[in-house]
Amino acid sequence: MEVLYHFFHRNLEELLKCIFRSLLVMFWCFEMTRFEILMPVCFSSFAISVEGLSKIIINTGQDIFIEGCDEDNPYVAKVTRLYENGQQMKAVVQWFIRVSELPVNKLKLLGREPHPQEIFYYECRNCDNEVNVESILRPVKVNHHFLTVSLIFLQISPGTPQTPRHATPSIPIRSLQTQQPANILEEARARLHVSSVPESLPCREQEFQDIYSFVESKIVDNTGGCMYISGVPGTGKTATVHEVIRCLQHAADMDEIPSFHFIEINGMKMTDPHQAYVQILQKLTGQKATPDHAAVLLEKRFSNLAPRKETIVLLVDELDLLWTRKQNVMYNLFEWPARRHARLVVLTIANTMDLPERIMINRVASRLGLTRMSFQPYSFKQLQEIIMSRLNKLKAFEEDALQLVSRKVAALSGDARRCLDICRRATEICEHSAADPSSTGLVGMSHVMEALNEMFSSAYITAIRCASTQEQLFLRAVITEFRRLGLEEATFQQVFVQHQALCRIEGLKPIGVSEGLAVCQRLGACRLLLLEPSHLGVLQRIRLNVSQDDIFYALKAD
């Protein structure tokens, strides 16, 4: 038994040693294989296929074109290394930048007028210098001299002369200066004009700081984001954003923050919401395209990683008017900034506080995080401060007159633009009554009251005051539905539901559909409403032909 035990013990030891040696060999082979897989294989050259040509050899140290967002102006780079990482071919490149891509503050440092085809070495710590081989278009020839290089195509085909793409007619320089104000009232009228750029934006300091911090942080961090700015008309939304952009551009010029590209579009200036794609693409790249093609190009630009991509700040004013049935325009504007490689900051301005939830429901609310900013209507003290800031110590108004116009406008809407218009009209009335011996030369209470009566005593206001109870309720229903939708347009059916609810609130018997259509047609005949052709019936669309302020004033006075 002892001999048998030793025999089995000795054989078991040999067996275990063999198994252990086999495991070591397998593990060593596995590690070597894994090492070979992970180690990139470098090359000195490789072949690419170019459309219309045979295969072309690309070598390290060669200058090349790389596919970009603009087909007419691809990226230019120099190949420094070629390697294969797994199944993917990669190229490490040194980037060049075109004159059109240079920030203005850097272009000034050149001290001369650069050639249109001149390019410059580009180095940035945030720049991705690795590209896929598939993105290489073809080689180019670059003449290197000093720190700049000039760009020459490798294949240049002769062609017929063409009209310059950016040729535009010019306007002769004004030979005479604009006329200077002749008196204090003219000076006041010029300063109170809505187009006049004030030295400061009073009463919106906190909103300014919040928007500035939001955009600045996105530019510095090379990230994207979207801010939804809402508030009733005339509360300083657009003016505040413009001042923020001006200060950020100054900071970029001083190299305090990275440079950025600012683009502005306005829904009021578009015939169709999809034109937003066309305008954004043209202002971004100078490229013209149809709305569908522009949407595809923008989708590609904001989805893919691209070198030398600087942050884009996009201001979309009057967002309410970009409403479409599928809501694809608004959705893209809210969704693009959330993408990883977009580097897009979108500032949207609208009159409705909860437009994303009302129009796009959970599609945006659940997926996208929007930073919100609400501009409240100006109080009478704020309106008075705005006027005094515009006048800038110019003594043109009596103090009581300023208080009167500020309180009147604050009670209606808090619209600063309406307040400025009334004050300007009051200066004209005062100027025309200067011959009166009792006149002090300043805008007083009587001048402001006359201007207020003119502003709120038009034929439209008279028509609203003389309208029947049902017609006045219908106008109120139109405004209520507009605010519910966040739009300036609704169907008769939508307004009629609001009208019936108002009838119940006022203790009146709701009218029928046919009578409601008759009420709508009468308001359209008075030009208080703009209506689609009547054969559409309850589906005809309705728009106001008067301002909501005028309706509020007429109904309050009534």
Side-chain angles (χ1 to χ4, degrees), residues 22 39 46 144 187 214 230-231 271 290 342 477 504 511:
S22 299
M39 279 292 291
F46 68 93
H144 296 258
E187 177 69 22
F214 173 81
S230 61
T271 56
T290 63
R504 296 188 186 97
I511 60 177

Side-chain angles (χ1 to χ4, degrees), residues 375-389:
F375 280 63
Q376 299 301 320
Y378 289 114
S379 65
F380 88 92
K381 287 186 177 180
Q382 289 176 325
L383 289 173
Q384 189 173 354
E385 184 178 346
I386 290 171
I387 298 172
M388 294 177 67
S389 174

Side-chain angles (χ1 to χ4, degrees), residues 417-467:
R417 290 175 294 192
R418 177 61 65 93
C419 190
L420 293 173
D421 288 340
I422 294 172
C423 288
R424 292 184 72 248
R425 178 54 186 152
T427 61
E428 293 175 350
I429 296 172
C430 178
E431 193 171 14
H432 293 156
S433 63
D436 187 353
S438 62
S439 175
T440 61
L442 300 178
V443 178
M445 295 279 286
S446 60
H447 306 124
V448 169
M449 284 301 300
E450 188 174 344
L452 285 168
N453 291 333
E454 284 184 8
M455 288 284 186
F456 297 109
S457 298
S458 64
Y460 287 124
I461 292 179
T462 303
I464 296 171
R465 287 174 175 172
C466 296

Side-chain angles (χ1 to χ4, degrees), residues 391-412:
L391 292 174
N392 194 16
K393 299 181 180 180
L394 185 68
K395 185 64 175 177
F397 283 76
E398 294 178 0
E399 187 175 347
D400 292 343
L402 285 181
Q403 284 196 19
L404 175 62
V405 66
S406 301
R407 288 182 182 275
K408 280 285 187 180
V409 175
L412 289 174

